[in-house]
Amino acid sequence: MASRSTSHALAAGALCLALAPLTGCGPDGGEPSSSKGHKGYKGQPSAPAESRAPGHGKGSKDPDDLNGDGHRDLVLPAPARRDPAKVGRDERVAVVYGSAKGLDPATRTVHGRRDLGLPAVRDTTPGAGSDHVPTDDVVTADLDGDGFSDVVTTVEGEMAEDGNISAARTVPHVTWGGPGGPGKGTGATPVRLPESASKLGVTSVVRGDFDGDGHHDLAGLARNQSSAVVLYGPFTRSGEAKRTDTSLPWTDGDLAADAIDPSGKARATALLVHAISDGEQSGNTLYPARRGSGLSAEGRKLRAGNAHAFGDFDGDGQRDVAIGDDGSRNDEPGNETEPPDVSGSLALYPGSGGAPVTHRLPEAPKGASTDYGPGGFAAADPDGDGRDGVLVATYEGATLIDGDKRTRVTRQGPAKADGEKTPAKWRHARPAGAADFDGDDTDELILNWGSGTLFGTYGEQPTHWWITDGTGFRDNTSFTTTEFVSR
C-alpha cells in the first residue's frame, strides 16, 4: 500500500480533479510535476497523430496482447458515423497498441466486418452500415496457442428453428491473429459447436481458462436454452475445440468470466452467471473452476446485484468476486426499490470460501439518480500492492474502494461538444476498466466520455479516452477516437 503521505497526495489530486478537471493543479495546489517520466496532461483529449502499424512481436501469453510484443493492448469502439442526438451507431473495432511506455494512440489499427473476414449479414442495428462491428460482440483469446491472440466475433445469421424456439443463428467466428495483429483479407472461421447447440448457436460468449491448463477457452449460453456451452482449447484452425462441456444449466441472463493471467501463469478462471434483469438487481451464480478438471457443476448462489468484478480484493493470492448494486431500478409500480441488504452496497466474496464482506457504496448527489444507474465495477490495483480495489462508477465519475480507503477519480468532457452545450450532469467521464499497460506492476485506470444523451444516460458511444497514471490528476495518455475511421 502507499504510505500515509502518498495516500494524502493522491486524495488531494483526486479532489483537485473534482473541482477543476484536467487543469494545472498538483497535490499542493501548484503546477503538476512529472511522474515516472510522463507529462501531466492538461485540457481535453485530442485526436492522436496519423496512425502507424504496430511492430511485429514474437508471441505472448496475454490475450490482450494482439501483436505478441509483450505489451498489453486496448480494444475499443471507434465511431464511423455518429449523431449524438439519434439512437443507433455505426462503429468499428479499434486496437490501440501498447509499448514499454504504455499505450501509444498513434500506433493503432481499425477493423470493420470485411477486415475481420466476417460473413455479410443484414444488421438490424439502427444506423449501422455494412462494415459495422459492435465491440460488445468481440472477445480476444489465443485459441490455437500460437502466441498471438485471435479476435472472436459473435455473428448473427439467418433465422432458424429448434423445437419451439425461433431465433437468428448466432455463431462465434475467429479471425486468426499473427505478429502484426488480426489477419486481414481471409475469411473468419466459424467455431464448431456441439450438436445440442448447433441449430441456433450461442450467445453471451466469454473467454477464460476454465481448467487452468494454460490454453484459452470459450463459454456461451445455448440459444435453444438447452445448457451453457464450454469449449476447452486449444482449437484447431478449423474451429474445433479440444473438448466440449454442456453439463452446466442454461440461465436466462449473461456470462462473465474471471481474467486470464496475462503472464501466462496457469490459473483456472471461474464463471459467473448473472440472471436477466429489467432494471432490478438480479441474482448471480458462481461456478468455481479447478485446475485439471474445469468448471464445477455445483454453482454457488450469490447476492443480487447487476455490477460485478473479479480480483484479489483481500491480497491473499486467491481470486475473489465483487457483486453489488449498479444503481439501476425497475420502473414498474411496486418494483422501484431494492431490499436494504442489496440497495447501495457491494459484497466481496473471498476465494477462500469465507463469509462475504459488505461495503457501502458512495451515495448519489441529490437529484442525480436515474433508473439506469451510473455504471458498473472493475478491479484495479493502481498502487501495485498486490491487493485489488473495486473501481465503482458514480454519478460524478468513479471511486476506488480499496479496503477502508476511498479515492475519487474524476475526468470531465468538454463544456461544449458537437455544437451543443454539455449538461453539467453529463460532463463526468465513466470508468471503463483498468490494466497495466506500461509493465510497471501498477494498474492504469481507463475512463471514457461521449457527448449526447446516449452516453449521458447509458454510457454508450464514448469518443474521449483517458489512461490515468494512478488515481491522481496525471494521465499516461489521453485521446479521442472521432478520427480513427477514415471517411
Side-chain angles (χ1 to χ4, degrees), residues 122-466:
R122 183 178 65 87
D123 198 317
T124 58
T125 303
S130 61
D131 222 16
H132 171 65
V133 183
T135 52
D136 297 343
D137 294 342
V138 171
V139 297
T140 56
D142 181 10
L143 296 184
D144 58 357
D146 66 350
F148 299 101
S149 200
D150 312 306
V151 177
V152 183
T153 309
T154 302
V155 177
E156 281 197 353
E158 299 296 326
M159 294 295 293
E161 294 184 357
D162 191 352
N164 61 353
I165 299 176
S166 177
R169 186 171 187 265
T170 306
V171 178
H173 283 64
V174 184
T175 305
W176 301 103
K184 291 188 177 183
T186 58
T189 303
V191 171
R192 294 189 183 183
L193 299 173
E195 185 176 355
S196 62
S198 62
K199 288 184 179 180
L200 296 182
V202 294
T203 61
S204 191
V205 175
V206 297
R207 73 183 186 199
D209 181 4
F210 302 117
D211 55 2
D213 66 351
H215 295 292
H216 299 174
D217 313 319
L218 298 176
L221 295 170
R223 201 155 199 180
N224 64 3
Q225 304 180 9
S226 60
S227 70
V229 176
V230 184
L231 305 169
Y232 289 94
F235 289 66
T236 67
R237 281 289 180 117
S238 61
E240 185 173 5
K242 181 179 180 180
R243 64 186 179 96
T244 301
D245 180 12
T246 57
S247 63
L248 299 186
W250 177 85
T251 298
D252 193 3
D254 52 60
L255 303 180
D258 193 4
I260 297 171
D261 192 316
S263 71
K265 179 181 178 181
R267 180 175 76 196
T269 57
L271 184 69
L272 183 73
V273 181
H274 175 234
I276 192 171
S277 166
D278 191 22
E280 74 280 359
Q281 303 300 301
S282 59
N284 296 275
T285 303
L286 180 69
Y287 290 92
R290 297 288 182 269
R291 287 187 63 181
S293 59
L295 292 166
S296 170
E298 298 295 326
R300 179 187 179 187
K301 297 292 184 182
L302 308 183
R303 59 160 277 176
N306 293 344
H308 46 74
F310 288 94
D312 181 4
F313 301 115
D314 53 15
D316 67 351
Q318 299 190 63
R319 301 294 290 178
D320 316 314
V321 62
I323 303 290
D325 181 4
D326 73 345
S328 68
R329 294 293 182 265
N330 188 319
D331 60 2
E332 294 294 328
N335 296 300
E336 304 95 335
T337 60
E338 294 290 338
D341 61 341
V342 171
S343 181
S345 69
L346 69 82
L348 301 178
Y349 290 85
S352 62
V357 178
T358 299
H359 294 268
R360 297 302 302 174
L361 293 168
E363 293 186 6
K366 186 176 180 180
S369 296
T370 72
D371 289 337
Y372 305 102
F377 298 167
D381 183 16
D383 60 8
D385 67 347
R387 184 181 74 179
D388 291 317
V390 184
L391 187 64
V392 176
T394 71
Y395 287 102
E396 297 173 301
T399 295
L400 182 71
I401 300 176
D402 188 357
D404 295 327
K405 185 175 71 172
R406 297 182 176 218
T407 306
R408 290 179 60 188
V409 183
T410 308
R411 300 292 188 274
Q412 284 195 338
K416 188 175 182 179
D418 300 309
E420 300 288 339
K421 182 179 179 181
T422 304
K425 64 180 180 179
W426 289 347
R427 282 198 66 187
H428 65 275
R430 296 186 180 220
D436 180 10
F437 293 111
D438 56 8
D440 66 352
D441 295 324
T442 65
D443 283 344
E444 292 83 63
L445 309 183
I446 308 167
L447 297 100
N448 61 27
W449 179 88
S451 63
T453 302
L454 289 178
F455 186 87
T457 305
Y458 311 107
E460 296 181 1
Q461 298 189 5
T463 55
H464 292 53
W465 294 78
W466 293 263

Side-chain angles (χ1 to χ4, degrees), residues 48-115:
E50 185 174 349
S51 65
R52 55 178 175 263
H56 286 204
K58 297 181 179 180
S60 170
K61 297 292 186 180
D62 185 350
D64 292 316
D65 178 6
L66 273 76
N67 62 332
D69 66 349
H71 304 296
R72 176 163 282 202
D73 310 318
L74 178 64
V75 176
L76 70 167
R81 292 192 302 271
R82 185 176 186 274
D83 185 344
K86 294 182 180 179
V87 174
R89 57 182 177 173
D90 184 13
E91 67 185 32
R92 309 290 182 265
V93 175
V95 182
V96 176
Y97 288 86
S99 71
K101 295 182 179 179
L103 286 183
D104 178 10
T107 305
R108 62 184 187 268
T109 54
V110 178
H111 308 268
R113 180 174 293 274
R114 288 185 292 271
D115 297 320

Side-chain angles (χ1 to χ4, degrees), residues 7-24:
S7 298
H8 176 75
L10 291 174
L15 177 61
C16 170
L17 279 168
L19 297 176
L22 300 176
T23 59

